[in-house]
């Protein structure tokens, strides 16, 4: 099997994240992808937009929306689990919409993890292997995303490049 990796980007800085992320997605276009998405945090609120098809489709959906915020993540997806669709496009989130995450690769043991999470009441919105990740973080969250993510990574089999944020995270932007 060829390892087709698509793209993930994260931004935290002094400027608005959206133009930086869209520029990054355009630079990743050569890799091939079937859908794309962004999530941007602003004062504890999160705006997420996803689209099937080209980055242009995503830009068209964003046009006219005022999406400000200095923290964000973005993704171009090459579907491995679940068809190319808006629901399956990244970023993915947990039940409460607190943790937002993009992922390249495959979580090979997502099925038992998903069953376990569903038995604990988690509701899934996509068919992806990726969506177990924000729900696992939600399930194990101790107030520190990095620590929680380290615990989650120990549960995973597979390959992953990840970027994630918590909507309540304080933004520390240095000069
Ligand atoms: N396995 C994930 C999915 O199907 C990520 C695929 C990718 O690397 O873009 O959504």
């Amino acid at each position: 099997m060829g390892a087709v990796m698509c793209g993930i980007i994260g931004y935290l800085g002094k400027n608005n994240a959206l133009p930086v992320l869209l520029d990054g997605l355009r630079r990743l276009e050569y890799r091939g992808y079937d859908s794309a998405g962004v999530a941007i945090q602003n004062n504890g609120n999160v705006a997420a937009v996803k689209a099937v098809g080209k980055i242009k489709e995503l830009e068209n959906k964003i046009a006219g929306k005022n999406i400000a915020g200095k923290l964000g993540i973005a993704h171009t997806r090459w579907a491995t689990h679940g068809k190319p669709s808006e629901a399956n496009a990244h970023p993915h989130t947990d039940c409460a919409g607190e943790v937002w995450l993009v992922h390249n690769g495959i979580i090979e043991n997502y099925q038992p993890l998903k069953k376990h999470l569903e038995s604990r009441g988690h509701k899934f919105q996509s068919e992806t292997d990726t969506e177990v990740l924000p729900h696992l973080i939600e399930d194990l969250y101790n107030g520190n995303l990095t620590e929680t993510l380290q615990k989650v990574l120990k549960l995973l089999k597979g390959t992953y490049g990840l970027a994630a944020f918590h909507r309540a995270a304080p933004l520390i932007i240095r000069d």
Side-chain angles (χ1 to χ4, degrees):
M1 195 179 92
V4 179
M5 280 283 194
C6 29
I8 60 177
I9 309 162
Y11 176 81
L12 168 63
K14 287 190 221 166
N15 299 316
N16 263 327
L18 184 62
V20 181
L21 295 173
L22 288 175
D23 183 53
L25 289 179
R26 276 183 235 111
R27 288 169 192 234
L28 288 167
E29 279 203 288
Y30 73 93
R31 289 175 169 221
Y33 62 99
D34 53 58
S35 52
V38 294
I40 293 184
Q41 193 260 33
N42 192 13
N43 289 326
N45 296 314
V46 178
V49 186
K50 311 177 190 193
V52 175
K54 295 286 162 201
I55 307 299
K56 192 83 199 122
E57 308 295 327
L58 183 68
E59 288 174 330
N60 289 344
K61 285 186 75 171
I62 289 170
K65 291 200 177 92
N66 180 18
I67 303 182
K70 297 179 181 347
L71 167 66
I73 54 177
H75 188 258
T76 49
R77 176 172 189 242
W78 186 274
T80 66
H81 294 69
K83 62 185 176 292
S85 70
E86 209 173 302
N88 288 337
H90 303 211
H92 288 288
T93 190
D94 59 349
C95 297
E98 306 238 271
V99 176
W100 292 80
L101 181 144
V102 291
H103 163 228
N104 281 164
I106 296 174
I107 308 302
E108 279 160 20
N109 61 336
Y110 83 100
Q111 276 168 327
L113 292 170
K114 187 169 178 175
K115 269 207 186 111
H116 168 75
L117 287 160
E118 281 174 337
S119 77
R120 290 176 56 75
H122 289 263
K123 299 270 181 284
F124 283 73
Q125 300 173 39
S126 80
E127 302 156 329
T128 62
D129 52 334
T130 301
E131 200 188 340
V132 297
L133 299 173
H135 290 280
L136 280 171
I137 295 169
E138 178 175 42
D139 215 66
L140 297 171
Y141 193 60
N142 69 354
N144 181 319
L145 183 60
T146 308
E147 282 177 22
T148 308
L149 198 48
Q150 279 161 354
K151 279 187 205 139
V152 166
L153 295 184
K154 293 201 179 105
L155 305 174
L156 307 180
K157 293 202 177 73
T159 50
Y160 37 81
L162 304 172
F165 68 80
H166 192 285
R167 79 167 175 194
L171 302 192
I172 301 165
I173 300 169
R174 297 199 171 84
D175 281 333

